């Protein structure tokens, strides 16, 4: 299972990753643009046990990386180092023959969340995705659970023209705070 965030470098990185996985004989399901939780969900839902999210997380726009789950375990620390050395030492399979299919898992993701959660009362919610990949699905999820959504910067744009999608940076929250006040929203 491979999904990617919206940074400008990610289509090329995702394509190279998929090519490498297929050369190693792995079948790949490409879910395209998807936040990391959707990639994890797809792997669980389709019982692949393994996935890679091509992401930079909340790091600056020039950062690139992978969040990797193999056999249900998240790779970190020594596991990542071991993978690196296997690559450097040429110890990966290169038999080829891995298949490729594309799939849209967003409707299943939204449906799954809405089947578990419904708001007791309507809420007006401003969603500021900062032009990050969550903008493609967060409004759908909130509407499905019963919220009235006011989208703000929900168009995925890897240049992040409005602000970087990092909610830990107070400067990233200024437009959101203003919109919550402007629209008399319950939450942002």
């Amino acid at each position: 299972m491979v999904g990617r965030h919206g940074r400008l470098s990610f289509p090329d990185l995702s394509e190279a990753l998929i090519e490498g996985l297929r050369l190693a004989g792995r079948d790949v399901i490409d879910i395209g643009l998807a936040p990391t939780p959707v990639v994890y969900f797809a792997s669980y839902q389709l019982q692949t046990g393994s996935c890679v999210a091509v992401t930079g997380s909340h790091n600056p726009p020039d950062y690139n990386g992978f969040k990797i789950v193999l056999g249900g375990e998240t790779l970190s620390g020594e596991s990542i180092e071991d993978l690196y050395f296997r690559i450097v030492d040429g110890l990966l399979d290169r038999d080829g023959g891995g298949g490729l299919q594309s799939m849209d898992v967003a409707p299943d993701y939204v449906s799954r969340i809405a089947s578990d959660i419904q708001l007791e009362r309507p809420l007006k919610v401003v969603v500021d995705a900062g032009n990050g990949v969550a903008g493609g699905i967060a409004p759908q999820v909130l509407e499905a659970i019963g919220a009235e959504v006011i989208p703000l910067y929900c168009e995925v744009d890897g240049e992040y023209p409005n602000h970087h999608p990092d909610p830990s940076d107070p400067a990233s929250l200024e437009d959101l705070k203003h919109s919550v006040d402007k629209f008399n929203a319950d939450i942002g």
Side-chain angles (χ1 to χ4, degrees), residues 4-72:
R4 64 180 167 82
H5 289 200
R7 294 186 182 194
L8 299 178
S9 56
F10 289 173
D12 291 340
L13 282 173
S14 182
E15 184 177 310
L17 171 66
I18 290 169
E19 180 182 336
L21 290 169
R22 294 182 67 208
L23 282 171
R26 301 292 167 234
D27 292 331
V28 177
I29 301 170
D30 180 5
I31 62 170
L33 283 173
T36 301
V38 175
V39 178
Y40 293 158
F41 166 81
S43 178
Y44 174 80
Q45 184 78 5
L46 298 170
Q47 300 177 350
T48 66
S50 300
C51 62
V52 181
V54 182
T55 178
S57 195
H58 292 102
N59 292 307
D62 57 333
Y63 279 56
N64 300 288
F66 300 130
K67 291 183 180 177
I68 304 170
V69 175
L70 291 177

Side-chain angles (χ1 to χ4, degrees), residues 7 68 88 119 130 134 150 177:
R7 294 186 182 194
I68 304 170
V88 169
L119 296 176
I150 301 162
K177 291 190 289 189

Side-chain angles (χ1 to χ4, degrees), residues 32-150:
L33 283 173
T36 301
V38 175
V39 178
Y40 293 158
F41 166 81
S43 178
Y44 174 80
Q45 184 78 5
L46 298 170
Q47 300 177 350
T48 66
S50 300
C51 62
V52 181
V54 182
T55 178
S57 195
H58 292 102
N59 292 307
D62 57 333
Y63 279 56
N64 300 288
F66 300 130
K67 291 183 180 177
I68 304 170
V69 175
L70 291 177
E73 298 292 324
T74 302
L75 291 191
S76 63
E78 286 185 25
S79 297
I80 291 176
E81 289 178 16
D82 290 345
L83 177 59
Y84 170 77
F85 289 117
R86 287 182 62 205
I87 292 168
V88 169
D89 294 339
L91 299 175
L92 296 179
D93 293 334
R94 295 190 181 270
D95 299 334
L100 175 62
Q101 61 179 309
S102 297
M103 187 175 290
D104 180 6
V105 298
D108 291 336
Y109 181 78
V110 172
S111 176
R112 178 67 173 98
I113 292 173
S115 72
D116 283 343
I117 301 169
Q118 285 296 305
L119 296 176
E120 189 170 299
R121 67 173 180 84
L123 290 176
K124 187 184 292 187
V125 181
V126 178
V127 175
D128 179 353
N131 300 107
V133 71
I137 198 163
Q140 294 175 52
V141 169
L142 290 165
E143 287 172 353
I145 68 169
E148 175 188 342
V149 176
I150 301 162

